[in-house]
Amino acid sequence: GIGSAFAEALAREGYHLILTGRREDPLRLLADKLPVPCEVFLGDLREPSICARLSSRLRECADLRMVIHNAGYGHDASFLETPVQALREMGELHVQCATELTRVGAEVMGTGGALILVSSLAAFTPAPGPAMYTATKAFQVALGTALQADLADRGVRLQGLCPGFTHTGFHDRLDWDAERRQNRSLVRGKRPDGVGRCYL
């Protein structure tokens, strides 16, 4: 998906990478094929303890240059049909974890560092249905916008990246059929590598 595209693009520029995710096999396969040193950090960032562990790892990076918060997922159920625990977990990942890693990245990196919050065009189109997804993505946009001036004073760049419909495993997990993924009117699906080239 978009995370792999970021990793491949940054590897071509010679960045050493810390790859994070919940599924070990895809991460190991990606790390093995990239032409740069890669560390695999396994864990579910919806869990505060895992996010805290990743924060600690980032603080150990003497030459940290970029942090990309791309972790995210969606759901099709309406707000009132979604269990409270599921809402809390999405908030932990899209809001709390994004906030913590942005804070740590800004603290550790000096002039020339960069932060990317991968939000979504859905942040600008709140609609009935998966309200928590659009609300948390809107939070990421608001956080990035609010922080830009302060971070610029520290010499750290911040980008809020808001892709539209992108062909990734994101929609596999939502069990969308082929018809639902077709281009419609102004909605045109993008390839992950096209989004991955949009970093600062």
Side-chain angles (χ1 to χ4, degrees), residues 1-13 15 17 66 68 70 116 118 159 161-168 190-200:
I2 293 173
S4 296
F6 271 126
E8 290 166 0
L10 292 169
R12 286 193 293 271
E13 295 193 17
Y15 281 84
L17 303 173
M66 184 179 294
I68 302 174
N70 179 60
I116 300 177
V118 181
Q159 179 185 48
L161 181 60
C162 298
F165 183 81
T166 307
H167 296 290
T168 69
K190 296 182 179 297
R191 290 169 47 90
D193 55 349
V195 178
R197 288 194 296 269
C198 293
Y199 60 90
L200 291 156

Side-chain angles (χ1 to χ4, degrees), residues 72-195:
Y73 64 99
H75 55 76
D76 265 346
S78 72
F79 184 82
L80 295 177
E81 293 173 340
T82 304
V84 170
Q85 180 61 28
L87 297 173
R88 181 179 294 113
E89 289 174 353
M90 182 170 281
E92 285 289 348
L93 183 60
H94 293 176
V95 176
Q96 297 300 116
C97 181
T99 300
E100 181 172 339
L101 295 183
T102 298
R103 171 68 175 78
V104 171
E107 174 189 337
V108 174
M109 292 186 290
T111 299
L115 292 155
I116 300 177
L117 290 170
V118 181
S119 179
S120 169
L121 277 183
F124 306 101
T125 56
M132 189 66 176
Y133 178 79
T134 58
T136 54
K137 288 300 182 178
F139 169 83
Q140 293 176 350
V141 172
L143 177 66
T145 302
L147 287 175
Q148 278 192 327
D150 286 343
L151 293 181
D153 288 343
R154 296 174 61 91
V156 176
R157 296 173 295 161
L158 186 146
Q159 179 185 48
L161 181 60
C162 298
F165 183 81
T166 307
H167 296 290
T168 69
F170 181 97
H171 302 99
D172 294 338
R173 290 186 286 276
L174 293 177
D175 200 26
W176 282 19
D177 59 28
E179 181 178 353
R180 193 169 180 184
R181 302 180 198 217
Q182 290 178 353
N183 292 335
R184 287 186 174 83
S185 185
L186 296 177
V187 179
R188 293 290 184 267
K190 296 182 179 297
R191 290 169 47 90
D193 55 349
V195 178

